[in-house]
PDB file of all heavy atoms in Angstrom:
ATOM      1  N   VAL A 112      26.390 -52.776   0.004  1.00  0.00           N
ATOM      2  CA  VAL A 112      27.227 -52.292   1.096  1.00  0.00           C
ATOM      3  C   VAL A 112      26.928 -53.086   2.360  1.00  0.00           C
ATOM      4  O   VAL A 112      25.759 -53.228   2.759  1.00  0.00           O
ATOM      5  CB  VAL A 112      26.989 -50.787   1.354  1.00  0.00           C
ATOM      6  CG1 VAL A 112      27.934 -50.282   2.445  1.00  0.00           C
ATOM      7  CG2 VAL A 112      27.179 -49.996   0.073  1.00  0.00           C
ATOM      8  N   THR A 113      27.984 -53.610   2.978  1.00  0.00           N
ATOM      9  CA  THR A 113      27.867 -54.256   4.283  1.00  0.00           C
ATOM     10  C   THR A 113      28.381 -53.275   5.332  1.00  0.00           C
ATOM     11  O   THR A 113      29.559 -52.878   5.304  1.00  0.00           O
ATOM     12  CB  THR A 113      28.684 -55.549   4.347  1.00  0.00           C
ATOM     13  OG1 THR A 113      28.241 -56.442   3.326  1.00  0.00           O
ATOM     14  CG2 THR A 113      28.523 -56.219   5.709  1.00  0.00           C
ATOM     15  N   PHE A 114      27.494 -52.855   6.217  1.00  0.00           N
ATOM     16  CA  PHE A 114      27.860 -51.847   7.206  1.00  0.00           C
ATOM     17  C   PHE A 114      28.391 -52.501   8.477  1.00  0.00           C
ATOM     18  O   PHE A 114      28.311 -53.734   8.668  1.00  0.00           O
ATOM     19  CB  PHE A 114      26.654 -50.954   7.513  1.00  0.00           C
ATOM     20  CG  PHE A 114      26.310 -50.014   6.376  1.00  0.00           C
ATOM     21  CD1 PHE A 114      25.265 -50.307   5.512  1.00  0.00           C
ATOM     22  CD2 PHE A 114      27.051 -48.863   6.169  1.00  0.00           C
ATOM     23  CE1 PHE A 114      24.956 -49.456   4.462  1.00  0.00           C
ATOM     24  CE2 PHE A 114      26.753 -48.006   5.123  1.00  0.00           C
ATOM     25  CZ  PHE A 114      25.700 -48.299   4.255  1.00  0.00           C
ATOM     26  N   ASP A 115      28.920 -51.675   9.369  1.00  0.00           N
ATOM     27  CA  ASP A 115      29.562 -52.178  10.577  1.00  0.00           C
ATOM     28  C   ASP A 115      28.596 -52.931  11.482  1.00  0.00           C
ATOM     29  O   ASP A 115      29.016 -53.799  12.269  1.00  0.00           O
ATOM     30  CB  ASP A 115      30.187 -51.013  11.364  1.00  0.00           C
ATOM     31  CG  ASP A 115      31.442 -50.473  10.684  1.00  0.00           C
ATOM     32  OD1 ASP A 115      31.978 -51.167   9.802  1.00  0.00           O
ATOM     33  OD2 ASP A 115      31.870 -49.350  11.026  1.00  0.00           O
ATOM     34  N   ASP A 116      27.310 -52.613  11.387  1.00  0.00           N
ATOM     35  CA  ASP A 116      26.339 -53.312  12.238  1.00  0.00           C
ATOM     36  C   ASP A 116      25.894 -54.644  11.638  1.00  0.00           C
ATOM     37  O   ASP A 116      24.999 -55.309  12.166  1.00  0.00           O
ATOM     38  CB  ASP A 116      25.131 -52.426  12.501  1.00  0.00           C
ATOM     39  CG  ASP A 116      24.372 -52.066  11.228  1.00  0.00           C
ATOM     40  OD1 ASP A 116      24.762 -52.521  10.125  1.00  0.00           O
ATOM     41  OD2 ASP A 116      23.376 -51.296  11.316  1.00  0.00           O
ATOM     42  N   GLY A 117      26.494 -55.025  10.494  1.00  0.00           N
ATOM     43  CA  GLY A 117      26.169 -56.290   9.861  1.00  0.00           C
ATOM     44  C   GLY A 117      25.076 -56.218   8.813  1.00  0.00           C
ATOM     45  O   GLY A 117      24.839 -57.190   8.091  1.00  0.00           O
ATOM     46  N   SER A 118      24.398 -55.094   8.705  1.00  0.00           N
ATOM     47  CA  SER A 118      23.334 -54.963   7.706  1.00  0.00           C
ATOM     48  C   SER A 118      23.929 -54.858   6.313  1.00  0.00           C
ATOM     49  O   SER A 118      25.025 -54.317   6.115  1.00  0.00           O
ATOM     50  CB  SER A 118      22.478 -53.728   8.003  1.00  0.00           C
ATOM     51  OG  SER A 118      23.257 -52.553   7.926  1.00  0.00           O
ATOM     52  N   VAL A 119      23.204 -55.409   5.349  1.00  0.00           N
ATOM     53  CA  VAL A 119      23.607 -55.367   3.949  1.00  0.00           C
ATOM     54  C   VAL A 119      22.532 -54.608   3.176  1.00  0.00           C
ATOM     55  O   VAL A 119      21.347 -54.980   3.223  1.00  0.00           O
ATOM     56  CB  VAL A 119      23.793 -56.783   3.367  1.00  0.00           C
ATOM     57  CG1 VAL A 119      24.194 -56.705   1.900  1.00  0.00           C
ATOM     58  CG2 VAL A 119      24.818 -57.562   4.182  1.00  0.00           C
ATOM     59  N   VAL A 120      22.945 -53.549   2.469  1.00  0.00           N
ATOM     60  CA  VAL A 120      22.000 -52.669   1.787  1.00  0.00           C
ATOM     61  C   VAL A 120      22.404 -52.517   0.328  1.00  0.00           C
ATOM     62  O   VAL A 120      23.588 -52.310   0.019  1.00  0.00           O
ATOM     63  CB  VAL A 120      21.948 -51.281   2.465  1.00  0.00           C
ATOM     64  CG1 VAL A 120      20.949 -50.373   1.742  1.00  0.00           C
ATOM     65  CG2 VAL A 120      21.590 -51.409   3.936  1.00  0.00           C
ATOM     66  N   GLN A 121      21.416 -52.656  -0.558  1.00  0.00           N
ATOM     67  CA  GLN A 121      21.639 -52.428  -1.989  1.00  0.00           C
ATOM     68  C   GLN A 121      21.346 -50.962  -2.283  1.00  0.00           C
ATOM     69  O   GLN A 121      20.245 -50.460  -2.004  1.00  0.00           O
ATOM     70  CB  GLN A 121      20.715 -53.326  -2.816  1.00  0.00           C
ATOM     71  CG  GLN A 121      21.066 -53.379  -4.281  1.00  0.00           C
ATOM     72  CD  GLN A 121      22.013 -54.534  -4.604  1.00  0.00           C
ATOM     73  OE1 GLN A 121      22.386 -55.291  -3.714  1.00  0.00           O
ATOM     74  NE2 GLN A 121      22.400 -54.657  -5.864  1.00  0.00           N
ATOM     75  N   LEU A 122      22.329 -50.244  -2.827  1.00  0.00           N
ATOM     76  CA  LEU A 122      22.208 -48.810  -3.071  1.00  0.00           C
ATOM     77  C   LEU A 122      22.477 -48.470  -4.520  1.00  0.00           C
ATOM     78  O   LEU A 122      23.320 -49.105  -5.173  1.00  0.00           O
ATOM     79  CB  LEU A 122      23.215 -48.032  -2.201  1.00  0.00           C
ATOM     80  CG  LEU A 122      23.137 -48.186  -0.684  1.00  0.00           C
ATOM     81  CD1 LEU A 122      24.323 -47.489  -0.040  1.00  0.00           C
ATOM     82  CD2 LEU A 122      21.839 -47.604  -0.169  1.00  0.00           C
ATOM     83  N   GLU A 123      21.751 -47.469  -5.020  1.00  0.00           N
ATOM     84  CA  GLU A 123      22.130 -46.842  -6.279  1.00  0.00           C
ATOM     85  C   GLU A 123      23.097 -45.712  -5.958  1.00  0.00           C
ATOM     86  O   GLU A 123      22.883 -44.946  -5.011  1.00  0.00           O
ATOM     87  CB  GLU A 123      20.901 -46.284  -7.000  1.00  0.00           C
ATOM     88  CG  GLU A 123      19.915 -47.329  -7.484  1.00  0.00           C
ATOM     89  CD  GLU A 123      20.400 -48.059  -8.727  1.00  0.00           C
ATOM     90  OE1 GLU A 123      21.408 -47.618  -9.324  1.00  0.00           O
ATOM     91  OE2 GLU A 123      19.776 -49.068  -9.101  1.00  0.00           O
TER      92      GLU A 123
END
Side-chain angles (χ1 to χ4, degrees):
V112 183
T113 302
F114 288 101
D115 287 344
D116 62 1
S118 62
V119 179
V120 180
Q121 192 92 1
L122 301 173
E123 294 284 350

